[in-house]
Amino acid sequence: WLTKKTCEEGYTFNPSMPIVGIPNDFQYNPNSFSEHSDFRKYIEGFPEADPPEIFGLHPNADLTYLVKESNSLFKTLGETQPKGGGNDGGIPREDVVYKKASELLSRLPEDYEEDDYNAKIRKLGGMNVPMNIFLFQEIQRFQNVISKVRSTLLQLQLAIKGEVVMTSELQETLDSVFDARVPHYWENTLTGDEFSWRLPTLGLWFSSLLDRDKQYRTWLNGIRPNSYWLTGFFNPNGCLTAMKQEVARNHNKGEKKWSLNEVVYHTEVTNIERLEQIKAPPDEGIYVHGLTLEGAAWSRAEGNLVESAPKTLFALLPVLYVTGKNVRSQEEKTEKKERKVLQYECPVYKYACRTDQYLIFFASLNCPKEKPPNHWCLRGSALLCNTS
């Protein structure tokens, strides 16, 4: 932020082309007044809040900060609310939770019988197909979640009626369901590892459960997805690895055989925005939908990254085509392509919490010449499966 140019005459911290105007067109200049009164007069003209753009940030940085502060405030207020047995003559909280538990149980998908889904996977080609192995592992984990939710809700209803002991886990589930939060043990194991998926409210979490079930059952019934909802997988890295294995096997015929270690990801952003527009899967690789851009947006007209619109924190990315390329041929193509098109290696995360634990892979996104890859790196641009 402070460079040698900062002390040069006429230097300003104002961006040359601000996304949102600076209040009162104030100029942030390092001045060299000779009089103390001139400095005081200049300081009195400062805006009440310094805009993020003078620090090189996007105007949405302020909005992101305020949203996080508000969410933290309301979360604290919710946790400090009294949790008594009744509510001043209204419906007791136990009755409210009992009714909600009945509703969730009625909407909960049927269990996945192991013999049944094993037989269906054999019809899809058996365990010799990498994507079938991935599907098998996903269904096993998903069934564990369904069993956990079903058993907990049934036990909770019995505890409310006084037929079983209200354990600490059931009490925590009762409080969470009443507050529309996801029970801790539906998201986490006893050791704190991720058991299912993390979402802020019970409604969003249960809707995700139903959407995941729909994707799994459609696939099991013999209809391989034209496009994959990457957000709906426990292990999205496993999906992409299985795809690379299939691509490598397709190129194992002939003289130039591909080794799995030589296969790298190759991505292209398509012009497809709606899932209904995809009539068939690609010949090789997969389509991926449901990814969201943070810190940038995508221009279909220009075919590259653009600045986020003010007050718009997230922008949906069109369907992404992901496939595997041989690292040798990929290097040659990249060298030729870099002369014409700049690409930002955009990290794809499972959650908005950006840690190596939730990093899935890197997608190559075109960027304009006037805003090279390091610009989007400073913007913190990333693709997210979940924005919450």
Side-chain angles (χ1 to χ4, degrees):
W1 197 61
L2 294 174
T3 63
K4 292 181 179 179
K5 294 182 179 180
T6 305
C7 298
E8 294 180 359
E9 189 69 27
Y11 181 83
T12 178
F13 289 103
N14 294 47
S16 57
M17 296 181 64
I19 300 173
V20 177
I22 307 298
N24 301 322
D25 293 327
F26 185 82
Q27 292 294 317
Y28 287 84
N29 301 325
N31 296 302
S32 55
F33 299 126
S34 58
E35 297 294 331
H36 179 267
S37 58
D38 292 334
F39 278 106
R40 288 182 60 88
K41 184 178 179 181
Y42 178 73
I43 293 171
E44 288 171 358
F46 268 68
E48 291 185 7
D50 294 324
E53 286 189 85
I54 67 166
F55 303 104
L57 301 175
H58 193 277
N60 287 346
D62 251 351
L63 182 58
T64 301
Y65 166 75
L66 294 173
V67 168
K68 289 183 177 179
E69 284 289 300
S70 301
N71 288 340
S72 177
L73 173 63
F74 285 115
K75 181 181 179 182
T76 304
L77 289 173
E79 291 174 348
T80 55
Q81 283 184 338
K83 298 178 174 61
N87 51 0
D88 298 332
I91 303 175
R93 64 200 308 271
E94 286 78 8
D95 291 349
V96 173
V97 172
Y98 189 95
K99 183 178 179 181
K100 185 64 178 178
S102 299
E103 178 193 339
L104 294 177
L105 283 169
S106 66
R107 297 172 59 197
L108 196 64
E110 296 179 357
D111 288 330
Y112 286 81
E113 298 295 337
E114 187 171 356
D115 292 340
D116 182 45
Y117 64 74
N118 277 333
K120 290 181 177 179
I121 287 176
R122 281 195 293 271
K123 291 181 180 179
L124 294 173
M127 293 300 184
N128 292 324
V129 181
M131 289 297 279
N132 288 350
I133 298 175
F134 167 73
L135 176 61
F136 175 79
Q137 294 170 342
E138 286 285 310
I139 290 175
Q140 282 189 318
R141 292 188 63 176
F142 189 65
Q143 175 55 39
N144 291 338
V145 175
I146 293 177
S147 299
K148 179 67 174 178
V149 173
R150 195 187 309 279
S151 63
T152 304
L153 291 176
L154 291 173
Q155 287 295 310
L156 180 59
Q157 288 185 322
L158 293 175
I160 291 174
K161 292 192 292 185
E163 297 181 10
V164 298
V165 177
M166 179 70 76
T167 62
S168 58
E169 179 181 341
L170 292 177
Q171 183 63 52
E172 191 275 334
T173 303
L174 187 148
D175 294 337
S176 297
V177 172
F178 184 78
D179 295 334
R181 292 182 289 109
V182 185
H184 177 78
Y185 293 105
W186 290 8
E187 286 186 325
N188 306 278
T189 62
L190 292 173
T191 57
D193 296 327
E194 188 176 12
F195 176 66
S196 61
W197 50 92
R198 307 188 193 281
L199 286 172
T201 65
L202 181 59
L204 289 174
W205 188 91
F206 201 83
S207 295
S208 179
L209 184 146
L210 298 178
D211 291 338
R212 289 162 185 259
D213 176 69
K214 181 179 179 181
Q215 179 168 243
Y216 292 141
R217 292 191 190 274
T218 303
W219 191 352
L220 267 181
N221 290 330
I223 305 175
R224 192 164 175 170
N226 293 335
S227 177
Y228 293 83
W229 181 44
L230 207 61
T231 309
F233 294 135
F234 290 95
N235 181 21
N237 307 68
C239 176
L240 297 176
T241 301
M243 178 275 298
K244 282 205 305 183
Q245 289 175 331
E246 291 192 351
V247 171
R249 290 184 183 183
N250 290 340
H251 291 269
N252 272 345
K253 302 171 183 177
E255 297 180 358
K256 296 182 179 180
K257 294 184 178 181
W258 286 15
S259 168
L260 183 61
N261 295 332
E262 295 178 345
V263 178
V264 295
Y265 292 120
H266 172 78
T267 59
E268 296 176 14
V269 181
T270 69
N271 290 323
I272 305 170
E273 291 190 342
R274 297 193 306 274
L275 189 59
E276 300 76 24
Q277 295 176 284
I278 305 175
K279 303 301 181 183
D283 295 333
E284 192 172 81
I286 60 174
Y287 288 131
V288 171
H289 67 275
L291 298 179
T292 305
L293 266 170
E294 183 181 27
W298 184 262
S299 171
R300 284 188 63 194
E302 300 175 15
N304 56 34
L305 292 170
V306 294
E307 295 287 0
S308 301
K311 299 183 180 181
T312 304
L313 298 181
F314 305 103
L316 192 65
L317 186 77
V319 173
L320 184 70
Y321 172 57
V322 186
T323 186
K325 295 288 184 180
N326 188 283
V327 67
R328 297 173 184 173
S329 60
Q330 180 71 3
E331 286 174 353
E332 295 175 0
K333 290 183 179 180
T334 301
E335 289 176 3
K336 296 178 181 178
K337 195 172 184 180
E338 280 181 345
R339 299 170 190 169
K340 299 180 180 179
V341 181
L342 295 173
Q343 288 192 319
Y344 168 57
E345 294 301 314
C346 183
V348 183
Y349 291 97
K350 189 176 181 181
Y351 298 111
C353 180
R354 304 185 187 186
T355 64
D356 290 343
Q357 180 183 359
Y358 299 128
L359 177 65
I360 303 174
F361 74 116
F362 289 88
S364 301
L365 304 181
N366 295 342
C367 51
K369 292 182 180 179
E370 62 273 13
K371 293 183 178 178
N374 61 350
H375 171 84
W376 304 107
C377 185
L378 292 173
R379 278 281 188 261
S381 303
L383 283 166
L384 307 176
C385 290
N386 289 285
T387 57
S388 302

